[in-house]
Amino acid sequence: MILVDSFDLRILAALQDDGRLTNQELADLAGLSASQCSRRRMRLEEDGVIAGYRAQLASQALGFELIAFIQITLATHSPDNAQKFRALVNRVDEIQDAYALTGDSDYLLKVVLRDLKSLSDIVNNVLMPHQSVAHVRSSIVLDRLKESAKLPLASLPTS
């Protein structure tokens, strides 16, 4: 774990809110000079704390109306089978998030799709026929109550 101080936390919080801030805007928010802020941002990037920058696209504006969660149980629990399933997950763009789980299911997938037909296609033509998969159960999202990629920075200890 990388230790951060209160200035680093202000930089990180501001960038979580708006990754397009200029260095001067970020410095003003963090209470630093532009050069100090730039050095700190570069260190946070080099240390891997800031993993990257990207645009957040509005899925519904582009016609992606359906979000579903899909629980997967593997046919067999072997390293080879798990690797084959991981390769499948990485090939399918509609899968936004994939998690290995404890409990009844082996994996939980979050998929973003255009419609119910797309969900049917991914379940019946991609996941079910795959040799590593034994069982598929999907749940359709009715309403999104919260969406955030922000980390709870206030809970971090500072140096």
Side-chain angles (χ1 to χ4, degrees), residues 128-157:
M128 285 300 295
H130 196 268
Q131 65 193 40
S132 65
V133 175
H135 182 73
V136 175
R137 183 179 349 171
S138 62
S139 299
I140 296 170
V141 171
L142 297 176
D143 190 16
R144 183 183 298 172
L145 305 179
K146 180 179 180 179
E147 180 180 29
S148 176
K150 290 183 181 182
L151 295 177
L153 297 176
S155 66
L156 287 177

Side-chain angles (χ1 to χ4, degrees), residues 66 70 113 115-129 138 140:
L66 187 95
I70 303 173
L113 306 156
D115 50 31
L116 283 173
K117 168 109 176 61
S118 300
L119 177 59
S120 177
D121 287 344
I122 201 165
V123 168
N124 294 315
N125 301 326
V126 177
L127 296 171
M128 285 300 295
S138 62
I140 296 170

Side-chain angles (χ1 to χ4, degrees), residues 90-110:
N90 286 311
R91 281 194 311 270
V92 179
D93 289 338
E94 292 84 356
I95 299 172
Q96 280 195 324
D97 295 308
Y99 303 95
L101 304 174
T102 61
D104 295 335
S105 299
D106 296 312
Y107 296 94
L108 179 66
L109 311 178
K110 176 189 171 194

Side-chain angles (χ1 to χ4, degrees), residues 20-63:
R20 297 178 67 182
L21 291 171
T22 66
N23 192 58
Q24 186 60 57
E25 291 169 332
L26 188 58
D28 292 343
L29 290 169
L32 295 167
S33 71
S35 62
Q36 289 173 314
C37 185
S38 179
R39 283 192 297 274
R40 283 176 177 267
R41 185 197 304 217
M42 285 177 26
R43 179 183 48 80
L44 291 166
E45 290 170 353
E46 290 168 0
D47 289 347
V49 174
I50 298 174
Y53 302 88
R54 64 176 162 250
Q56 182 178 341
L57 306 180
S59 58
Q60 288 185 322
L62 294 168

